[in-house]
Amino acid sequence: MTNPKPDLWFSFVRSHRALIREIERRLAEAGLPAYGWYDALWGVESGKNGTRRMHELADALVIERYNLTRLVDRLEQEGLVTRARSPEDGRAAYVTITEAGRSLRKRMWKIYETAVNELFLPQFDIKAQREVSEALDQAALAARQSSQSVQ
Amino acid sequence: MTNPKPDLWFSFVRSHRALIREIERRLAEAGLPAYGWYDALWGVESGKNGTRRMHELADALVIERYNLTRLVDRLEQEGLVTRARSPEDGRAAYVTITEAGRSLRKRMWKIYETAVNELFLPQFDIKAQREVSEALDQAALAARQSSQSVQ
DNA sequence: GCGATATAATTGCGATTGCAACTCACTGGA
DNA sequence: TCCAGTGAGTTGCAATCGCAATTATATCGC
């Protein structure tokens, strides 16, 4: 029995589900849209001039392109972002956040941040926060590299 | 700027997505069903006599009841589990894993375990594995308690 | 300069998820 | 005993996701 026990992994997936579920619950309770919208809005807003290319955004959010297309469709319909094609590269599509988008993101952040600060972060001291964060980034990198090495 | 920075949180959600995506990719590549099936099969198999009650299972998997109903529908259709109602409590439904279910779970586990051992666990030393696991369990507990305190 | 290949984004369609409503069975107090 | 309340599980329907194919543009090799 020298094998590593994957307890940590199962704690990881279970806690992720429990936390996301609770965050979604709080957002819904406050009449705000689902959690995924926050990520997308922030991904756009944090780009240069509040703009990002689609594939760059999909990559940052770790979601599939076709799902991003339709997520952005929905955001656009609500007037939270605008979409434009690039004159230089006819394939490229740019997404830009609107004022309404910024405002909604801020309102969502209040709820979201509170939940994270209350439920998640206190379980780690400052040193652990940095270390675990780095370990998780490494794991994400390993996962991406593994998938690319096949493709 | 004494506020906690939620970097750890974002590493958490991003790494989760990247890892799940890569695990799904490997399972699909091996011609095996999606990741969620593993969890469900293990949830059933690990119960007394390879049996569990629906609501107990939903709770363990941290998924909603109505989703479990339909997940079990699919597993049942594939002959991986059987379903039975309780004679004592007419409301209760029991799910039991079949031999085919056990066998499939084992095959999935080979792929799944390899991925976790290769991509995730090596990022943490043994001591960190225990500590982080406990911290995450605490966070999950806090999330559950928070949702219950409202309900 | 032109065909083969690669990249970006999108779309059709079937599978899965989420919400709200529903059925059926147990429980506890008047 | 009977009926309001609660718990377990399921279902209808709309929203979202995942896969494979499609469109449009750019790039590479000759």
Side-chain angles (χ1 to χ4, degrees):
Chain A
M1 285 301 271
T2 57
N3 284 356
K5 296 297 273 320
D7 295 358
L8 172 57
W9 170 259
F10 292 107
S11 295
F12 181 68
V13 298
R14 299 264 146 77
S15 62
H16 180 268
R17 284 198 282 244
L19 288 160
I20 294 292
R21 174 192 267 183
E22 172 61 7
I23 289 168
E24 295 271 24
R25 196 193 60 72
R26 290 187 185 193
L27 287 170
E29 189 184 51
L32 292 169
Y35 156 80
W37 287 36
Y38 176 85
D39 254 16
L41 289 173
W42 176 244
V44 178
E45 185 174 343
S46 61
K48 199 168 149 63
N49 297 323
T51 296
R52 268 203 211 281
R53 276 192 66 163
M54 290 291 278
H55 80 273
E56 188 189 1
L57 192 52
D59 201 54
L61 301 177
V62 197
I63 68 173
E64 307 299 334
R65 299 258 173 93
Y66 45 81
N67 286 330
L68 181 61
T69 293
R70 287 183 277 216
L71 175 52
V72 170
D73 284 350
R74 298 191 284 270
L75 297 175
E76 194 181 17
Q77 264 180 342
E78 299 293 325
L80 303 169
V81 301
T82 57
R83 220 192 297 226
R85 300 208 81 103
S86 162
E88 299 106 47
D89 186 336
R91 294 168 304 181
Y94 286 90
V95 193
T96 304
I97 196 162
T98 64
E99 266 317 306
R102 287 177 199 269
S103 149
L104 176 63
R105 190 198 65 77
K106 281 200 200 81
R107 272 182 295 141
M108 293 182 79
W109 179 236
K110 282 214 185 82
I111 308 283
Y112 188 5
E113 185 185 30
T114 302
V116 171
N117 283 341
E118 186 180 314
L119 306 170
F120 182 72
L121 292 180
Q123 317 302 337
F124 303 87
D125 63 36
I126 299 293
K127 180 156 158 286
Q129 286 193 24
R130 196 172 31 74
E131 285 170 2
V132 173
S133 180
E134 275 166 26
L136 292 174
D137 290 347
Q138 275 303 112
L141 188 62
R144 280 166 191 265
Q145 283 172 349
S146 171
S147 76
Q148 281 182 345
S149 71
V150 176
Q151 189 51 322
Chain B
M1 285 304 269
T2 57
N3 284 357
K5 297 294 275 320
D7 295 358
L8 172 58
W9 170 257
F10 291 107
S11 296
F12 181 68
V13 297
R14 300 262 145 78
S15 62
H16 180 268
R17 284 198 283 242
L19 288 159
I20 294 292
R21 175 194 267 184
E22 171 61 8
I23 289 167
E24 296 270 25
R25 197 193 59 72
R26 291 187 185 194
L27 287 170
E29 189 184 51
L32 292 169
Y35 155 81
W37 286 36
Y38 176 85
D39 254 17
L41 289 173
W42 176 244
V44 179
E45 186 174 345
S46 63
K48 199 168 150 64
N49 297 323
T51 296
R52 266 202 212 282
R53 277 192 67 162
M54 290 292 277
H55 80 274
E56 189 189 2
L57 193 52
D59 201 54
L61 301 177
V62 196
I63 68 173
E64 306 299 335
R65 300 260 171 94
Y66 45 80
N67 286 331
L68 181 62
T69 294
R70 287 182 281 212
L71 176 52
V72 170
D73 285 347
R74 298 192 285 271
L75 297 175
E76 193 180 19
Q77 263 179 343
E78 299 294 324
L80 302 169
V81 301
T82 57
R83 221 193 295 228
R85 299 208 82 105
S86 162
E88 298 106 48
D89 186 336
R91 295 168 302 180
Y94 286 90
V95 193
T96 304
I97 195 162
T98 64
E99 267 317 307
R102 286 177 200 269
S103 150
L104 176 64
R105 190 199 64 77
K106 281 199 199 81
R107 273 181 295 141
M108 294 183 77
W109 179 236
K110 282 212 186 80
I111 308 282
Y112 188 5
E113 185 185 30
T114 302
V116 171
N117 283 341
E118 187 182 313
L119 306 170
F120 182 71
L121 292 180
Q123 317 303 336
F124 303 86
D125 63 35
I126 299 294
K127 180 156 160 284
Q129 287 193 24
R130 196 173 30 75
E131 285 169 2
V132 174
S133 179
E134 275 167 25
L136 292 174
D137 290 347
Q138 275 304 113
L141 189 63
R144 282 165 190 266
Q145 284 172 348
S146 171
S147 77
Q148 281 182 345
S149 71
V150 176
Q151 189 49 326

